[in-house]
Amino acid sequence: MPAKKPRLKAEDWIKAGLAALSSEGPQALKAEVLARKLGTTKGSFYWHFKDVPDFHQRLLAAWEDRAITTITQALSEDSDPVNRLYRLGHMAASNGSDNDGDLAETAIRAWAYGSEMASDTVIRVDQKRTALLGEILHELDLTNPDFARIIYSAFVGMDALSATDVTGNKNAMSTLMAAILALRDA
């Protein structure tokens, strides 16, 4: 008698959804397509989610929570704002290495161009992250809000570049952070 497969959880579906979104785009975020990938039935999908839009909403909520929590936790590990700024640059340079979610950011941003739900989620994440970056810069007496936008744009852009090329981003982000920090000493 073959071993019984473990019962899937909602998190398993969301993880599979993020992987499918990253590799195939939003058209792969359907019950039947995901069920085939997971080797189960659509009934398992509908046990956890009311319908596909409910799945989309919960997938985006999980990504949003992770996108904010990851940065907040990483930046709270050090009280020195200079170190936190460089830490953010290091995170941008290493994004894409975690298959559970970082690779999905570029895919979610692309999905946001055609989905109001995804767009609203990306906007919230961007606002929270930019505000956090602004707080760090304010601690460094760099109060021009354009600095936060420039650094955050580089952070997002490095993630997108990492998804398509093999060029390392560490030096570029370190150079940007050093240039911004040099402004406070000028």
Side-chain angles (χ1 to χ4, degrees):
M1 180 172 204
K4 191 172 181 180
K5 286 175 83 173
R7 199 167 247 178
L8 292 173
K9 300 181 207 140
E11 295 81 25
D12 297 320
W13 285 97
I14 288 170
K15 185 176 180 178
L18 288 170
L21 178 65
S22 298
S23 64
E24 301 168 50
Q27 67 277 6
L29 298 179
K30 298 177 182 165
E32 189 170 337
V33 173
L34 291 170
R36 271 196 309 267
K37 287 183 184 300
L38 290 169
T40 190
T41 66
K42 289 190 304 183
S44 173
F45 177 91
Y46 289 108
W47 175 258
H48 296 290
F49 306 99
K50 180 176 73 169
D51 52 23
V52 172
D54 177 49
F55 171 69
H56 290 176
Q57 182 177 7
R58 290 174 56 191
L59 179 140
L60 288 165
W63 173 78
E64 179 178 1
D65 181 60
R66 186 175 184 279
I68 300 303
T69 302
T70 300
I71 287 180
T72 303
Q73 286 178 346
L75 297 182
S76 68
E77 293 173 1
D78 196 322
S79 62
D80 180 4
V82 172
N83 290 343
R84 291 195 331 258
L85 193 60
Y86 276 105
R87 174 96 174 161
L88 180 70
H90 178 74
M91 289 176 71
S94 61
N95 252 359
S97 60
D98 179 352
N99 291 327
D100 280 348
D102 291 340
L103 291 175
E105 181 153 345
T106 300
I108 287 173
R109 288 181 179 282
W111 183 21
Y113 285 108
S115 164
E116 186 175 344
M117 186 187 319
S119 178
D120 290 346
T121 303
V122 169
I123 288 168
R124 282 191 307 276
V125 166
D126 289 348
Q127 288 171 340
K128 290 174 186 173
R129 287 174 169 176
T130 303
L132 179 61
L133 182 55
E135 290 170 17
I136 295 169
L137 292 170
H138 188 74
E139 289 180 58
L140 295 166
D141 294 323
L142 293 167
T143 57
N144 183 333
D146 290 338
F147 291 151
R149 185 166 176 81
I150 290 165
I151 294 170
Y152 187 65
S153 295
F155 179 88
V156 171
M158 292 296 172
D159 185 43
L161 282 174
S162 294
T164 59
D165 73 14
V166 294
T167 305
N169 300 315
K170 188 174 184 178
N171 290 340
M173 286 303 291
S174 291
T175 300
L176 176 61
M177 298 308 179
I180 296 287
L181 289 169
L183 295 173
R184 80 178 177 148
D185 299 328

